[in-house]
Coordinates of all heavy atoms in Angstrom, one line a residue:
L22 N 91.1 126.8 155.4 CA 92.3 127.6 155.8 C 92.8 128.3 154.5 O 93.1 129.5 154.5 CB 93.4 126.8 156.4 CG 94.7 127.5 156.7 CD1 94.5 128.7 157.6 CD2 95.7 126.5 157.3
G23 N 93.0 127.6 153.4 CA 93.5 128.1 152.2 C 92.5 129.1 151.6 O 92.9 130.2 151.1
L24 N 91.2 128.8 151.7 CA 90.2 129.7 151.1 C 90.1 131.0 151.9 O 90.1 132.1 151.3 CB 88.8 129.0 151.2 CG 87.7 129.6 150.4 CD1 88.0 129.7 148.9 CD2 86.4 128.8 150.6
K25 N 90.2 130.9 153.2 CA 90.2 132.2 154.0 C 91.4 133.0 153.7 O 91.3 134.2 153.7 CB 90.1 131.8 155.5 CG 88.7 131.5 156.0 CD 88.7 131.5 157.5 CE 87.2 131.4 158.0 NZ 87.2 131.6 159.5
T26 N 92.5 132.3 153.6 CA 93.8 133.0 153.3 C 93.7 133.8 152.0 O 94.1 134.9 151.9 CB 95.0 132.1 153.3 OG1 95.0 131.4 154.6 CG2 96.3 132.8 153.1
V27 N 93.3 133.1 151.0 CA 93.2 133.7 149.6 C 92.2 134.9 149.6 O 92.5 135.9 149.0 CB 92.7 132.7 148.6 CG1 92.4 133.3 147.3 CG2 93.8 131.6 148.4
L28 N 91.1 134.7 150.3 CA 90.1 135.8 150.2 C 90.3 136.9 151.3 O 89.5 137.9 151.2 CB 88.7 135.1 150.4 CG 88.3 134.1 149.4 CD1 86.9 133.5 149.7 CD2 88.2 134.7 148.0
A29 N 91.2 136.7 152.2 CA 91.4 137.7 153.3 C 91.8 139.0 152.8 O 91.4 140.1 153.2 CB 92.4 137.1 154.3
A30 N 92.8 139.1 151.8 CA 93.3 140.3 151.3 C 93.7 141.3 152.4 O 94.7 141.0 153.1 CB 92.3 141.0 150.4
D31 N 93.0 142.4 152.6 CA 93.4 143.3 153.6 C 92.6 143.2 154.9 O 92.5 144.1 155.7 CB 93.1 144.8 153.1 CG 94.0 145.0 151.9 OD1 95.2 144.5 151.8 OD2 93.6 145.7 150.9
V32 N 92.0 142.0 155.1 CA 91.2 141.8 156.4 C 92.2 141.8 157.6 O 93.2 141.1 157.6 CB 90.5 140.4 156.3 CG1 89.8 140.1 157.7 CG2 89.5 140.4 155.2
P33 N 92.0 142.7 158.5 CA 92.9 142.9 159.6 C 92.9 141.8 160.7 O 93.9 141.5 161.4 CB 92.5 144.2 160.2 CG 91.1 144.3 160.0 CD 90.9 143.7 158.6
T34 N 91.8 141.1 160.8 CA 91.7 140.0 161.8 C 91.0 138.8 161.2 O 90.0 138.9 160.5 CB 90.9 140.5 163.0 OG1 91.5 141.6 163.6 CG2 90.7 139.4 164.1
M35 N 91.6 137.6 161.4 CA 91.0 136.3 161.0 C 90.8 135.4 162.2 O 91.7 135.4 163.0 CB 91.9 135.7 159.9 CG 92.1 136.5 158.7 SD 93.3 135.8 157.5 CE 92.4 134.3 157.0
I36 N 89.7 134.7 162.2 CA 89.4 133.8 163.3 C 89.3 132.4 162.7 O 88.5 132.1 161.8 CB 88.1 134.2 164.0 CG1 88.3 135.6 164.5 CG2 87.8 133.2 165.1 CD1 87.0 136.2 165.1
F37 N 90.0 131.4 163.3 CA 89.9 130.0 162.9 C 89.5 129.2 164.2 O 90.3 129.2 165.2 CB 91.3 129.5 162.4 CG 91.7 130.2 161.1 CD1 92.6 131.2 161.2 CD2 91.3 129.7 159.9 CE1 93.0 131.9 160.0 CE2 91.7 130.4 158.7 CZ 92.6 131.4 158.8
D38 N 88.4 128.6 164.1 CA 87.9 127.7 165.2 C 88.1 126.3 164.9 O 87.4 125.7 164.1 CB 86.4 128.0 165.5 CG 85.9 127.3 166.7 OD1 86.7 126.7 167.4 OD2 84.7 127.4 167.0
E39 N 89.2 125.7 165.5 CA 89.5 124.3 165.3 C 89.7 124.0 163.8 O 89.1 123.0 163.3 CB 88.4 123.4 166.0 CG 88.3 123.6 167.5 CD 87.4 122.6 168.2 OE1 87.2 121.5 167.6 OE2 87.0 123.0 169.3
V40 N 90.5 124.8 163.1 CA 90.8 124.5 161.7 C 91.6 123.3 161.5 O 91.8 122.8 160.4 CB 91.5 125.8 161.1 CG1 92.9 125.9 161.6 CG2 91.4 125.7 159.6
D41 N 92.1 122.8 162.7 CA 93.0 121.6 162.6 C 92.2 120.3 162.8 O 92.8 119.2 163.1 CB 94.1 121.7 163.7 CG 93.5 122.1 165.0 OD1 92.4 121.7 165.3 OD2 94.2 122.8 165.7
T42 N 90.9 120.3 162.7 CA 90.1 119.1 162.9 C 90.5 118.0 162.0 O 90.6 118.2 160.8 CB 88.6 119.5 162.7 OG1 88.2 120.5 163.6 CG2 87.7 118.2 162.9
G43 N 90.7 116.8 162.6 CA 91.0 115.7 161.8 C 92.4 115.5 161.2 O 92.6 114.7 160.4
I44 N 93.3 116.3 161.7 CA 94.7 116.2 161.2 C 95.6 116.0 162.4 O 95.3 116.1 163.6 CB 95.2 117.5 160.5 CG1 95.1 118.7 161.4 CG2 94.3 117.7 159.3 CD1 95.8 120.0 160.8
G45 N 96.8 115.6 162.1 CA 97.8 115.4 163.2 C 99.2 115.2 162.5 O 99.4 115.3 161.3
G46 N 100.2 114.9 163.4 CA 101.6 114.7 162.9 C 102.1 115.8 162.0 O 102.0 117.0 162.4
R47 N 102.8 115.4 160.9 CA 103.4 116.4 160.1 C 102.5 117.4 159.5 O 102.8 118.6 159.4 CB 104.2 115.7 158.9 CG 104.9 116.6 157.9 CD 105.6 115.8 156.9 NE 106.2 116.7 155.9 CZ 105.6 117.1 154.8 NH1 104.4 116.7 154.6 NH2 106.2 117.9 154.0
T48 N 101.3 117.0 159.2 CA 100.3 117.9 158.6 C 99.9 119.0 159.6 O 99.7 120.1 159.2 CB 99.0 117.1 158.2 OG1 99.4 116.1 157.2 CG2 98.0 118.0 157.5
A49 N 99.7 118.6 160.8 CA 99.4 119.6 161.9 C 100.5 120.6 162.0 O 100.3 121.8 162.2 CB 99.2 118.9 163.2
T50 N 101.8 120.2 161.9 CA 102.9 121.1 161.9 C 102.9 122.1 160.7 O 103.1 123.3 160.9 CB 104.2 120.3 161.9 OG1 104.3 119.4 163.0 CG2 105.4 121.3 162.0
L51 N 102.5 121.6 159.6 CA 102.4 122.4 158.4 C 101.3 123.5 158.5 O 101.5 124.6 158.1 CB 102.2 121.5 157.1 CG 103.3 120.6 156.7 CD1 102.8 119.7 155.6 CD2 104.5 121.4 156.2
V52 N 100.2 123.0 159.1 CA 99.1 124.0 159.3 C 99.5 125.0 160.3 O 99.2 126.2 160.1 CB 97.8 123.2 159.8 CG1 96.8 124.2 160.3 CG2 97.3 122.4 158.6
G53 N 100.2 124.6 161.4 CA 100.6 125.6 162.4 C 101.6 126.7 161.8 O 101.4 127.9 162.0
H54 N 102.5 126.2 160.9 CA 103.4 127.2 160.3 C 102.7 128.0 159.3 O 103.0 129.2 159.1 CB 104.5 126.4 159.6 CG 105.5 125.9 160.6 ND1 106.4 126.7 161.3 CD2 105.9 124.6 160.9 CE1 107.1 125.9 162.1 NE2 106.8 124.6 161.9
K55 N 101.6 127.5 158.6 CA 100.8 128.3 157.7 C 100.1 129.4 158.4 O 100.0 130.5 158.0 CB 99.8 127.3 156.9 CG 99.0 128.1 155.9 CD 99.9 128.6 154.8 CE 99.0 129.2 153.7 NZ 99.9 129.8 152.6
L56 N 99.5 129.0 159.6 CA 98.8 130.0 160.4 C 99.7 131.1 160.8 O 99.4 132.3 160.8 CB 98.1 129.3 161.6 CG 96.9 128.5 161.3 CD1 96.6 127.6 162.5 CD2 95.7 129.4 160.9
R57 N 100.9 130.7 161.2 CA 101.9 131.7 161.6 C 102.3 132.7 160.5 O 102.5 133.9 160.7 CB 103.2 131.0 162.1 CG 104.2 131.9 162.8 CD 105.3 131.1 163.5 NE 106.3 132.0 164.1 CZ 106.2 132.5 165.3 NH1 105.1 132.2 166.0 NH2 107.1 133.3 165.8
A58 N 102.4 132.1 159.3 CA 102.7 132.9 158.1 C 101.6 133.9 157.8 O 101.8 135.0 157.4 CB 103.0 132.0 156.9
V59 N 100.3 133.4 157.9 CA 99.1 134.2 157.6 C 99.1 135.4 158.6 O 98.6 136.4 158.3 CB 97.9 133.3 157.7 CG1 96.6 134.2 157.7 CG2 97.8 132.3 156.6
A60 N 99.6 135.1 159.8 CA 99.5 136.2 160.9 C 100.5 137.3 160.7 O 100.5 138.3 161.4 CB 99.8 135.5 162.2
Q61 N 101.4 137.2 159.7 CA 102.4 138.3 159.4 C 101.6 139.4 158.8 O 101.1 139.4 157.7 CB 103.5 137.8 158.5 CG 104.2 136.6 159.0 CD 104.8 136.8 160.4 OE1 105.5 137.8 160.6 NE2 104.6 135.9 161.3
G62 N 101.5 140.5 159.6 CA 100.8 141.7 159.0 C 99.3 141.8 159.4 O 98.6 142.7 159.0

């Protein structure tokens, strides 16, 4: 998720297929909010 975000730059569309594999609880919430932030723009 971090690598795609850093390298995305001006990429207009990003696709994540089960990027939440193996996580849960607070970490899953953090990943959800990160994805929401990445989706701005």
Side-chain angles (χ1 to χ4, degrees):
L22 172 58
L24 193 59
K25 279 193 172 187
T26 303
V27 169
L28 298 178
D31 298 325
V32 174
T34 300
M35 297 176 68
I36 301 173
F37 296 95
D38 185 6
E39 299 187 23
V40 72
D41 48 34
T42 298
I44 63 172
R47 177 176 176 271
T48 302
T50 301
L51 293 172
V52 168
H54 287 293
K55 182 64 177 177
L56 286 165
R57 190 172 178 84
V59 171
Q61 303 305 308

